[in-house]
Amino acid sequence: MNPVGKPGKQGALMPVEQALARLLAMAEAAPIVERERLPLAATEGRVLAEALVSSLDLPPWPNSAMDGYALRVEDWKGEPLPVSQRIFAGQSPEPLQPGTCARIFTGAPVPAGADCVEMQENTQVQDDQRVRFTEPLKVGQNIRPQGQETTIGEQVLAAGTRLGPIEQGLAASLGCAELEVLRRVRVAVLSTGDELVEPGRPLGPGQIYNSNRVLLCSWLKRLGSEVLDAGILPDDLPATRQRLAELGDVDLILSTGGVSVGEADFLGIALREAGELALWKLAIKPGKPLTFGHFRGVPVIGLPGNPASTLVTFALLARPYLLRRQGVQQVQPLSFQVPAGFVWPRPGNRREYLRGRLENGRAIIYRNQSSGVLRSAAWAEGLVEVLEGRTLEEGDVVNFIPLSEVLD
Ligand SMILES: Nc1nc2c(c(=O)[nH]1)N[C@H]1C(S)=C(S)[C@@H](COP(=O)(O)OP(=O)(O)OC[C@H]3O[C@@H](n4cnc5c(N)ncnc54)[C@H](O)[C@@H]3O)O[C@H]1N2
Ligand code: MOO
Ligand SMILES: [Mg+2]
């Protein structure tokens, strides 16, 4: 190692699975435990702090799945039945009088004594309002039994479930006006690079606009994190140490850039110096120099600065880490296999995540896969995974990870 603490010649690359496993273990060792109670409507994107247990049977009583007539099957002997009551949703019916049927509408409670609902399309109503059933009847038909969805005391959502519209709807169906959720993960976002300028300002010579900052801040918000935008950090070791030290009151410092081996890459050095550098050099492309460590006890993930590297490593490594800090189990994006619509003649020593999309059921890839080209990801619908050492002919099967799986 040279005097400024650069790693020497590249050693073995760490496989993606191993890096992920280590990140997840570190996340589990520092779980977010503080909770807050929120009105149901404010829980979107949050994580359940405790299991949601049903305090009622759902449905609370047997109800009709159809507009039609409720009866006891036994009572239908071919003679038309008189209608003894009309039951709408929201009403509480009388027990069914034997030898009669009840007019009933979808969602209305089935009266005691009835064991079947027939849809009105399979009936004939006579002039005297008595009802004839034209099709065979079955006990239980068109009745949604009490507790069919859940019964009192049953767990319907586990602690660590991420709450979205569906879970919120389910909680509402159980009558929950508030939910106990974990506090948000507080993440400081730091962009490193002397060349960076915020959009809206003129570009000087050698400068580029900072795209990673807004990309990560927006993405983190979608994931339910609380974002502390720590702005741009110059490429300077003392400034890096100082800024990292200032950002103490967060759960994670998430930075971009400054993690490779260049003479202006100080993030890794600052962590190494602090003796808390945990990961270095992954078998992933783009994203090889992803760095994980701690600075004075605060976890730091240093994403490589190239925008497509930032995107891929955030999606596949930082996102799962953040979710697992809150006990979320399902942190891996769902993916599916598709035939490749392209050839990949040269095997790589890193697992590649190509920006691609589906065309006629095949994965095709953006023409320029440089890690500096973010446009590739805007064009893409997903990441096409090409394993280490693999070449591809057209039609060979590849794994496709939809971007929609990782964006929130
Ligand atoms: N000799 C070697 N050089 C490099 C290696 C290597 O193994 N040996 N790895 C390359 C790989 S792979 C990557 S990825 C990059 C990672 O570099 P850093 O994470 O240190 O990032 P920087 O050098 O600071 O920046 C890289 C690139 O990205 C641009 N950038 C940075 N931040 C932003 C931002 N917020 N918005 C837009 N663009 C940004 C920056 O200008 C650079 O062009 O290292 C390779 N080098
Ligand atoms: O691993 Mo780097 O992200 O290819 O440019
Ligand atoms: Mg660099």
Side-chain angles (χ1 to χ4, degrees), residues 284-289 306 309 350 371:
I284 188 171
K285 186 174 179 183
K288 177 175 64 172
N306 283 309
S309 315
R350 296 186 268 163
S371 59

Side-chain angles (χ1 to χ4, degrees), residues 65-117:
M66 292 287 173
D67 299 313
Y69 296 88
L71 71 155
R72 186 198 300 267
V73 173
E74 239 178 52
D75 287 350
W76 170 243
K77 300 188 170 79
E79 283 304 304
L81 298 179
V83 178
S84 54
Q85 59 178 321
R86 292 163 69 78
I87 314 164
F88 291 90
Q91 293 183 338
S92 177
E94 298 295 322
L96 186 69
Q97 288 171 29
T100 73
C101 63
R103 184 76 169 111
I104 195 165
F105 300 97
T106 306
V110 174
D115 58 11
C116 162
V117 168

Side-chain angles (χ1 to χ4, degrees), residues 36-334:
E36 51 189 318
R37 202 165 180 79
L38 291 184
L40 183 58
T43 59
E44 150 84 71
R46 305 297 290 266
V47 174
L48 263 189
E50 59 189 17
L52 181 61
V53 174
S54 181
S55 58
L56 43 82
D57 288 347
L58 200 62
W61 19 258
N63 71 90
S64 176
M66 292 287 173
D67 299 313
Y69 296 88
L71 71 155
R72 186 198 300 267
V73 173
E74 239 178 52
D75 287 350
W76 170 243
K77 300 188 170 79
E79 283 304 304
L81 298 179
V83 178
S84 54
Q85 59 178 321
R86 292 163 69 78
I87 314 164
F88 291 90
Q91 293 183 338
S92 177
E94 298 295 322
L96 186 69
Q97 288 171 29
T100 73
C101 63
R103 184 76 169 111
I104 195 165
F105 300 97
T106 306
V110 174
D115 58 11
C116 162
V117 168
E118 180 57 299
M119 58 199 284
Q120 63 198 44
E121 290 86 336
N122 296 339
T123 63
Q124 284 169 351
V125 182
Q126 304 189 156
D127 290 345
D128 63 0
Q129 296 304 303
R130 292 196 310 164
V131 181
R132 176 184 294 282
F133 297 91
T134 58
E135 301 295 325
L137 298 171
K138 262 195 0 230
V139 170
Q141 86 182 23
N142 297 325
I143 295 179
R144 302 188 284 211
Q146 175 173 349
Q148 127 175 313
E149 182 163 354
T150 184
T151 52
I152 294 180
E154 199 181 327
Q155 175 179 310
V156 283
L157 293 174
T161 300
R162 296 181 75 200
L163 299 167
I166 295 170
E167 292 74 18
Q168 288 174 301
L170 184 57
S173 72
L174 297 172
C176 303
E178 296 179 335
L179 290 175
E180 193 84 1
V181 299
L182 295 173
R183 74 158 167 81
R184 296 181 189 277
V185 187
R186 276 198 296 273
V187 183
V189 174
L190 197 54
S191 313
T192 76
D194 284 343
E195 73 278 32
L196 300 179
V197 174
E198 288 307 327
R201 305 215 177 131
L203 275 187
Q207 295 185 316
I208 59 164
Y209 287 118
N210 183 357
S211 57
N212 291 338
R213 179 187 193 176
V214 69
L215 181 148
L216 287 178
C217 289
S218 299
W219 202 342
L220 285 162
K221 284 180 196 150
R222 289 175 71 138
L223 290 177
S225 300
E226 181 184 330
V227 179
L228 192 125
D229 185 349
I232 296 173
L233 172 67
D235 291 322
D236 174 68
L237 186 55
T240 303
R241 290 188 195 112
Q242 192 187 330
R243 188 71 69 85
L244 289 175
E246 286 163 4
L247 295 173
D249 189 26
V250 291
D251 302 305
L252 175 71
I253 298 170
L254 184 67
S255 70
T256 57
V259 290
S260 185
V261 293
E263 289 182 6
D265 292 333
F266 294 116
L267 202 274
I269 295 171
L271 298 183
R272 185 175 289 269
E273 249 182 19
E276 297 178 278
L277 183 69
L279 289 181
W280 186 262
K281 299 256 184 261
L282 307 188
I284 188 171
K285 186 174 179 183
K288 177 175 64 172
L290 178 121
T291 296
F292 181 87
H294 289 84
F295 192 86
R296 301 190 186 159
V298 180
V300 181
I301 296 182
L303 305 177
N306 283 309
S309 315
T310 294
L311 176 126
V312 166
T313 49
F314 184 83
L316 301 180
L317 295 153
R319 176 184 177 275
Y321 169 87
L322 279 168
L323 296 177
R324 189 55 65 82
R325 287 288 296 268
Q326 294 190 307
V328 177
Q329 290 307 303
Q330 174 55 45
V331 297
Q332 293 268 52
L334 299 178

